[in-house]
Every structure is written in structure tokens, then in C-alpha cells.
Amino acid sequence: MYRPAAEGVRAGPGAWAFGGRAAALLDPAGVPTTWAAACGGRPTVLVLYRGAWCPYCNLALRTYQQELLPELTSRGVGLIAVSPQRPDGSLTMREVNALSFTVLSDPGNQIGRALGVMNTWSAQARQAVTAVVTDVSEANSDGTDDVPMPTVALIDAQGVIRWLDVHPDYASRTEPAAILAALDLLD
């Protein structure tokens, strides 16, 4: 597991205020919202993903829907997935994968940048993704090809990050069992 931003993430009350609570997010209809409004004052699992164009993201979010969401719901914990894609990409992700949890767009990758989990593309990787999958800059709401590394954070009701799991390998994701184990430590 890679935890690059652990030293840069403040602990204690208000720690998530650096980018989460105030981040200008968009729902799938393009309506502005914030982290605070989306999580509704309850503990929440945040999933940063690359976009609807990413097959690994689709698989991970479907798995979270099936294997993780029921347990989170029974514990009163929310699940929110966030990517830098345009709102129509969030809508596509939600509809294609039959997701019942919140899916939001983060123009400019405010949350990923605040956490220090942004991916740096090599020229070769950028060309390959564009040739085989999509032009990420056209999918992203800010016109860049910036994407976060696959990341899962457990954020308490006060907005404090209590657990962070980052995967530099885009094909690797946080398993539901690891998220639930982290949640058990906080109970």
C-alpha cells in the first residue's frame, strides 16, 4: 500500500476542510454541491477513481455496490465516489453500473491534489491511453488529463480522515474487506 500524503494530511478537527468540505463538486446533473452536503454529516467512505472510461474503475465501483454498500448502510456510513470527469461521465458511471451511492465530479481534482494522490502520466502512457481508451482531457471537466491514483479514504462525521489507502498501480484497488477492517478499528 502506498500512502504518499499521510504526512501532509492534518489530523484533528477540520483536517478535511483543506479541500473536502469546501471543494466545489458537481452532481451527475451538473448541480454544484460540496463534500459536507454530499455526506450529510455522517462518516463516509470516499473513493477517488479515474473516470467512466476506466474498466478497472467500473469493476471496483460495481464491487463496492455489491459487497461494501450493504454493510456500510447497516453501519450508517456513506459511500461517495469522486472523479475529475465531466458530470455526464458520472451519470454514465452511475447508470451503466447501477450504482445507488453518490457519484460526483471534482473539476480540477481539488480533493486528489489536496491529498497528494495525483497521477503523473509519462508521454508514452498518455499516448497509449489516448489511442486505446480515450482522450482523458476530453473526459475531464477541467480539460486536463490529470487523474488521481485509485484512493479510498475513511472520513469521520467531523470531516477528519481516519484511514487512507492509495494505489499507484491503476489496476490495483482497495478490497472491500480492507475498508471494513479499517472501519472496525474506528468503532
Side-chain angles (χ1 to χ4, degrees), residues 4 10 31 50-51 70 107-108 121 125 131 133 149 159-160:
R10 295 186 354 236
V31 176
R50 296 159 20 117
W121 298 89
V133 182
M149 290 181 244
V160 178

Side-chain angles (χ1 to χ4, degrees), residues 10 12-23 35 114 158-161:
R10 295 186 354 236
W16 187 240
F18 61 80
R21 288 190 182 274
W35 174 261
Q158 290 73 44
V160 178
I161 297 170

Side-chain angles (χ1 to χ4, degrees), residues 5-186:
E7 299 96 34
V9 177
R10 295 186 354 236
W16 187 240
F18 61 80
R21 288 190 182 274
L25 305 171
L26 300 173
D27 75 10
V31 176
T33 190
T34 63
W35 174 261
C39 71
R42 64 184 175 161
T44 303
V45 172
L46 165 67
V47 178
L48 292 182
Y49 72 100
R50 296 159 20 117
W53 53 268
C54 171
Y56 298 100
C57 298
N58 282 272
L59 179 60
L61 294 184
R62 275 194 310 269
T63 300
Y64 294 160
Q65 171 73 33
Q66 295 167 358
E67 298 179 19
L68 183 61
L69 186 61
E71 182 64 24
L72 293 178
T73 300
S74 74
R75 295 180 183 205
V77 176
L79 177 59
I80 299 176
V82 176
S83 80
Q85 68 190 344
R86 293 187 318 259
D88 62 335
S90 295
L91 181 62
T92 298
M93 178 63 90
R94 194 176 71 192
E95 289 177 346
V96 166
N97 294 294
L99 304 177
S100 61
F101 55 85
T102 302
V103 181
L104 300 172
S105 297
D106 179 10
N109 283 293
Q110 302 160 83
I111 295 172
R113 290 186 199 295
L115 292 175
V117 298
M118 295 306 297
N119 181 56
T120 302
W121 298 89
S122 68
Q124 184 178 11
R126 182 179 291 112
Q127 289 173 342
V129 169
T130 300
V132 175
V133 182
T134 192
D135 182 344
V136 176
S137 65
E138 289 181 11
N140 279 358
S141 57
D142 65 357
T144 69
D145 63 1
D146 298 341
V147 293
M149 290 181 244
T151 300
V152 173
L154 178 54
I155 302 164
D156 70 17
Q158 290 73 44
V160 178
I161 297 170
R162 297 297 184 178
W163 183 78
L164 182 69
D165 188 35
V166 182
H167 292 258
D169 177 356
Y170 67 88
S172 173
R173 302 303 159 104
T174 306
E175 292 294 329
I179 298 167
L180 293 173
L183 190 58
D184 287 342
L185 293 173
L186 301 179

